[in-house]
Amino acid sequence: MRRTQKKLIMPVCLTMASMLAAATSYAQTVTIPVETQNNALVLQTDGEKNLKMVYFGHKLGNAGEYQSILSQYKQADDSGVLNDAYMPSGSASLAEPAITVTHADGNKSLNLVYVSHNVTKIDDDISLLTVNLKDPAYPFEVTLYYKTYFKEDVTEQWSVIKHNEKGLVTLNKFASANLNLKGSGFWLKQYHGNWAMEMQPEEAKLTHGIKTIDSKLGTRANLYEHSMFMVSMDQPATEDEGKVMLGALEWSGNFKIDLELDVSNNLRVIAGINNSASEYHLKPAEDFTTPAFVYTYSDHGKGDASRKLQRWARKYKIVNGEGDRLTLLNNWETTYFDFNEAKLADLMKDTKKLGVDMFLLDDGWFGNSHPRNGDHAGLGDWQENKQKLPNGISSLVKEATNNGVKFGIWIEPEMVNPASDLYVKHPDWVIKQPNRPEKYFRNQLVLDLTNPQVQDFVYGVVDNLFTKNPTLAYIKWDCNAVIYNAYSAYLKKDQSHLYVDYVRGLYKVLERVRAKYPKVPLMLCSGGGGRVDYGALKYFTEFWPSDNTEPLERVFIQWEYSFFYPAITSSNHVTDWGKQPLKFRTDVAMMGKLGFDIVVGRLSENDLAYVHGALKSYDYLKDAIWHGDQYRLQSPWDNDAASIMYVNDGKSKAVMFNYLVNNRYGAGTKVPIRLKGLDPQKKYSLKEINLYPGSNSSIGNDLTFTGDFLMTVGINPDVNSGRASVVIELDEVK
């Protein structure tokens, strides 16, 4: 940066006249602080109008000092390009690019310079910054978008790419965001997994070079790698201390996150759609909009950052995030594919007997020429199986209503079995290579959602169910297969568009569903947690974390998901997996949106009494669990017992869940666990709830402590092999 130049500070609250004046003053340095309540990201132009990202972290008290940040850093070379706000390739930039293109004339160079910026204040909390960049040599431009949520300290960032060249331009890489972080060291916490093994964490120090997290699965993109991550700066952040950024890509397909530690020890984070096998041909005047990359920052540890993201999600992203949810009984582990109307009628009576809100009919209710009696046939033929359900779904909905409960149903509308009428009638609707053997995932293939006819069909699956059954209360939307042998008969020569346009097609369907049925609860499932991202969750009320419902495993899985997603989105079912008693299984499932998938008829009298009591407690505490702040008190990875709590907005009600996760001899809580999030001046009554009939609490009765005592000294929940799960309710003493 030339220090003799006049510097112009452009905070996001400047007037339109000021911004227009600044846009014409190209010789001046333009500084654009993008601020939230506690944080700032600062953009700044250099003497050649290149846009740099010069700061990311806690916001300064004096915005005027942002202009001096870059001058305090000495690059290892003279290129000065390593902190571009959106790195182009092929010109002066030598680092990993955010965007790579091939112009209509075959030239692969790109240079993006600052043209102008504008701020729109949407409301008291939300502002939208747009920054226009243009190539001086080609009619090619990129607009960067920064949507900030002031109170939540959250930013969504994306880009829009367009051109007016004489012919097609090929987008070879097209990231959503390009962040530049500075620190004395960086630690990445990432996640890997598989079916029933979702959200397995790994944390390590980043070394020089590029670390890539990506997916090429097409659908079910989070099956092996997850598109959310954390980066700690200077040292590994803990729950309550340290500088940390949480990031997640809002995209339900192939993703790529590059983390490059450069020669000057700066970290560049480039996140977006995976460009592998996905070059995109852009027509003149056509826009290409990348998905949003959402992130937040805290210098008070991972817990504070996660609560910011959770508040944002509840308020702005997930459907009805500040509303209610339904408890349910699912039939899957009771019947699997083997059921009929009589069995289901009994289960709906069990739903009422159990005391939950809704009965959910899972897989196996459809197909006639190819009946769905297993996972080898029927997908695509969404007509009621006449042998199992001679009176159709409508009779089941009526039966549920007669029992005083609601009715929900499972679908997997994106998929097809080769053994189906749909496959025979529309082979061109199926993603498969025309000259290669078909390769199946769970005995099925994926429908081609790039095709508008297929989009209409998938939408029709949902719409027909609701049209015939207006009181249908819930949809569980599954997605069990990845894309093998990727080929679209519809796209013809544009095969590299498949992975991108598939997801766009899916979103078009979901947008239509939400336009007509805006409030119906939808569960996002993908053989478990294979598709959990905020790109999809903007259409869903909740997600299914894992098909693994073994409660001990679920403590760990739900713990890690909680860093990125609020409890109201996590569907947790009590099943017969594992050896833990019903109380432990239920207590674990209460860490989110509670449901059951058990054989009610096998419950003892005491079991049923326990569930009734737990549901009563859950009803009292669900507002704090669903809409309150979450505090992770004691990690299952490092302790004999895991402990987590939820506190409502007024700090008048809280609940503390404690689970034994180590079954070795003598394992348990030996010292008090310090609570968090309470009002130190308030007094709280504590009582153990969810006690199994005939058992007593060992922590005492009529306990009253100040928030100060509970957060400074704590309380020992007395978790041990005889008390494997302990739930403590806290209420303010007036």
Side-chain angles (χ1 to χ4, degrees):
M1 186 177 71
R2 298 173 184 173
R3 300 183 185 179
T4 58
Q5 292 175 325
K6 183 177 180 181
K7 298 169 183 175
L8 186 62
I9 301 171
M10 302 287 291
V12 295
C13 58
L14 280 188
T15 65
M16 183 67 70
S18 298
M19 286 183 282
L20 291 173
T24 60
S25 301
Y26 292 130
Q28 298 173 325
T29 296
V30 179
T31 302
I32 313 170
V34 185
E35 295 185 323
T36 58
Q37 183 169 237
N38 298 292
N39 301 334
L41 178 154
V42 181
L43 306 173
Q44 189 176 78
T45 61
D46 64 11
E48 287 73 42
K49 299 185 291 181
N50 298 304
L51 186 69
K52 308 293 183 179
M53 177 179 165
V54 300
Y55 182 76
F56 181 86
H58 191 82
K59 76 176 181 182
L60 302 181
N62 179 3
E65 293 187 311
Y66 289 125
Q67 64 181 325
S68 302
I69 290 175
L70 192 58
S71 64
Q72 300 304 308
Y73 290 90
K74 305 298 180 184
Q75 300 291 344
D77 58 19
D78 295 326
S79 65
V81 301
L82 297 181
N83 59 342
D84 276 29
Y86 195 71
M87 180 79 75
S89 68
S91 294
S93 304
L94 302 177
E96 180 65 24
I99 181 169
T100 303
V101 305
T102 304
H103 294 286
D105 63 3
N107 194 310
K108 296 188 71 69
S109 68
L110 184 63
N111 186 25
L112 295 172
V113 299
Y114 170 85
V115 176
S116 64
H117 73 278
N118 181 49
V119 178
T120 302
K121 193 166 179 60
I122 298 172
D123 58 32
D124 289 341
D125 193 31
I126 305 173
S127 295
L128 181 64
L129 166 68
T130 59
V131 184
N132 301 109
L133 308 176
K134 189 179 184 303
D135 190 322
Y138 285 89
F140 186 98
E141 58 187 276
V142 175
T143 303
L144 304 182
Y145 289 79
Y146 298 82
K147 190 174 186 179
T148 54
Y149 301 82
F150 185 84
K151 297 173 186 175
E152 293 76 22
D153 283 326
V154 168
T155 300
E156 288 181 291
Q157 184 177 341
W158 68 95
S159 58
V160 175
I161 305 164
K162 60 183 177 181
H163 73 93
N164 282 296
E165 299 185 24
K166 295 179 180 179
L168 292 176
V169 168
T170 300
L171 304 183
N172 306 104
K173 188 175 182 181
F174 32 90
S176 300
N178 181 172
L179 302 181
N180 299 282
L181 311 182
K182 297 184 183 297
S184 57
F186 303 93
W187 282 258
L188 170 68
K189 185 175 182 181
Q190 65 182 102
Y191 296 89
H192 69 278
N194 203 336
W195 179 81
M197 295 177 61
E198 290 85 350
M199 291 299 285
Q200 303 298 309
E202 292 178 320
E203 188 165 21
K205 186 174 183 179
L206 289 167
T207 56
H208 290 86
I210 299 177
K211 167 72 176 181
T212 298
I213 307 168
D214 73 342
S215 172
K216 302 181 183 71
L217 303 180
T219 56
R220 211 174 171 185
N222 284 292
L223 180 61
Y224 300 142
E225 300 286 337
H226 295 272
S227 55
M228 48 275 193
F229 63 96
M230 306 181 200
V231 174
S232 299
M233 288 157 261
D234 296 336
Q235 61 186 7
T238 64
E239 188 69 23
D240 301 307
E241 296 179 340
K243 302 174 182 177
V244 64
M245 182 194 82
L246 271 60
L249 188 67
E250 299 180 30
W251 183 247
S252 305
N254 293 347
F255 60 85
K256 185 178 184 182
I257 298 156
D258 292 319
L259 301 105
E260 181 178 27
L261 188 61
D262 67 28
V263 294
S264 299
N265 298 317
N266 304 310
L267 182 66
R268 305 178 60 254
V269 180
I270 303 169
I273 296 172
N274 197 332
N275 57 312
S276 175
S278 294
E279 292 182 343
Y280 209 91
H281 307 118
L282 200 62
K283 299 174 184 176
E286 182 182 6
D287 288 355
F288 185 95
T289 302
T290 68
F293 176 61
V294 60
Y295 51 90
T296 188
Y297 168 83
S298 174
D299 50 14
H300 296 291
K302 298 173 181 176
D304 181 57
S306 73
R307 285 186 290 278
K308 291 176 178 180
L309 202 57
Q310 290 173 1
R311 292 184 203 117
W312 165 81
R314 288 194 299 267
K315 188 172 183 180
Y316 294 111
K317 187 56 59 172
I318 45 179
V319 177
N320 198 25
E322 296 181 311
D324 207 356
R325 294 292 186 270
L326 298 170
T327 55
L328 60 84
L329 175 66
N330 195 357
N331 73 301
W332 180 246
E333 294 198 14
T334 300
T335 66
Y336 296 99
F337 293 102
D338 182 18
F339 56 80
N340 54 34
E341 286 182 352
K343 283 186 180 181
L344 296 180
D346 287 341
L347 288 176
M348 282 181 270
K349 291 181 175 65
D350 285 344
T351 306
K352 181 66 173 179
K353 180 180 179 181
L354 191 65
V356 294
D357 302 316
M358 185 184 70
F359 173 75
L360 173 61
L361 175 61
D362 215 292
D363 195 358
W365 57 269
F366 51 91
N368 289 296
S369 301
H370 304 276
R372 183 70 169 176
N373 296 321
D375 63 13
H376 286 73
L379 282 177
D381 298 346
W382 297 101
Q383 309 87 26
E384 298 99 327
N385 181 283
K386 294 178 181 178
Q387 185 173 356
K388 293 180 182 180
L389 307 175
N391 295 300
I393 296 298
S394 60
S395 69
L396 300 179
V397 176
K398 183 178 180 181
E399 182 69 24
T401 302
N402 292 339
N403 281 280
V405 297
K406 298 180 183 295
F407 184 87
I409 199 165
W410 177 97
I411 57 173
E412 193 177 2
E414 300 166 66
M415 304 294 163
V416 62
N417 286 123
S420 68
D421 291 341
L422 181 69
Y423 179 88
V424 173
K425 185 178 180 180
H426 292 291
D428 57 319
W429 285 11
V430 181
I431 294 176
K432 59 175 183 173
Q433 290 281 351
N435 300 313
R436 300 186 188 278
E438 293 178 357
K439 184 173 177 61
Y440 307 126
F441 197 109
R442 200 182 181 239
N443 309 301
Q444 63 197 60
L445 295 166
V446 182
L447 292 175
D448 182 8
L449 278 174
T450 70
N451 186 334
Q453 288 184 295
V454 178
Q455 295 170 25
D456 290 342
F457 171 80
V458 173
Y459 170 76
V461 173
V462 180
D463 190 43
N464 289 338
L465 282 169
F466 282 117
T467 300
K468 295 177 181 177
N469 309 284
T471 59
L472 185 67
Y474 187 93
I475 294 283
K476 178 181 178 182
W477 183 305
D478 213 340
C479 169
N480 280 292
V482 302
I483 293 178
Y484 286 131
N485 290 342
Y487 181 85
S488 164
Y490 175 78
L491 289 176
K492 298 181 174 63
K493 293 182 179 180
D494 284 328
Q495 291 303 313
S496 62
H497 292 198
L498 174 58
Y499 290 119
V500 173
D501 286 352
Y502 180 91
V503 180
R504 288 177 169 177
L506 171 64
Y507 290 166
K508 287 179 181 178
V509 173
L510 292 170
E511 285 166 7
R512 291 172 66 185
V513 170
R514 276 302 171 207
K516 190 170 182 180
Y517 308 103
K519 296 182 179 180
V520 173
L522 299 180
M523 181 204 287
L524 174 64
C525 181
S526 186
R531 179 194 274 168
V532 181
D533 64 86
Y534 281 118
L537 276 173
K538 68 180 290 186
Y539 306 106
F540 288 82
T541 51
E542 57 216 64
F543 67 88
W544 183 236
S546 179
D547 281 348
N548 185 346
T549 56
E550 200 282 336
L552 190 59
E553 294 291 336
R554 269 300 189 112
V555 170
F556 291 84
I557 293 171
Q558 291 167 196
W559 181 277
E560 295 301 332
Y561 270 121
S562 76
F563 283 105
F564 302 93
Y565 304 100
I568 194 171
T569 62
S570 182
S571 293
N572 307 332
H573 290 183
V574 180
T575 74
D576 289 326
W577 280 44
K579 299 179 181 179
Q580 288 79 9
L582 178 65
K583 170 178 164 50
F584 188 96
R585 289 179 271 145
T586 305
D587 291 351
V588 170
M590 283 177 65
M591 285 171 59
K593 207 227 74 172
L594 177 63
F596 292 83
D597 196 343
I598 56 177
V599 183
V600 176
R602 295 178 188 169
L603 296 180
S604 68
E605 184 177 337
N606 281 342
D607 282 346
L608 193 58
Y610 166 77
V611 171
H612 287 160
L615 283 168
K616 185 177 180 180
S617 296
Y618 186 71
D619 190 56
Y620 177 73
L621 293 166
K622 65 185 181 183
D623 179 66
I625 297 170
W626 293 348
H627 309 127
D629 282 334
Q630 179 190 61
Y631 295 88
R632 285 168 290 272
L633 308 180
Q634 192 165 278
S635 170
W637 302 99
D638 306 316
N639 301 277
D640 288 345
S643 185
I644 196 166
M645 71 180 291
Y646 303 86
V647 184
N648 72 349
D649 284 345
K651 300 184 184 297
S652 61
K653 185 188 301 182
V655 58
M656 177 189 187
F657 294 102
N658 307 275
Y659 310 106
L660 185 69
V661 294
N662 178 7
N663 291 317
R664 296 193 66 185
Y665 180 79
T669 54
K670 305 297 193 298
V671 297
I673 297 174
R674 288 191 290 271
L675 279 61
K676 302 174 186 176
L678 302 174
D679 186 330
Q681 304 303 318
K682 290 182 177 180
K683 286 188 176 182
Y684 295 91
S685 64
L686 284 70
K687 67 175 180 180
E688 183 175 352
I689 61 172
N690 286 17
L691 289 166
Y692 194 80
S695 63
N696 297 307
S697 175
S698 64
I699 65 170
N701 299 312
D702 302 320
L703 298 175
T704 301
F705 296 105
T706 63
D708 182 37
F709 177 90
L710 292 169
M711 292 189 291
T712 304
V713 178
I715 185 170
N716 190 333
D718 192 25
V719 176
N720 55 59
S721 59
R723 289 167 49 82
S725 62
V726 176
V727 183
I728 298 174
E729 176 189 312
L730 293 85
D731 286 286
E732 180 185 356
V733 177
K734 299 292 187 178

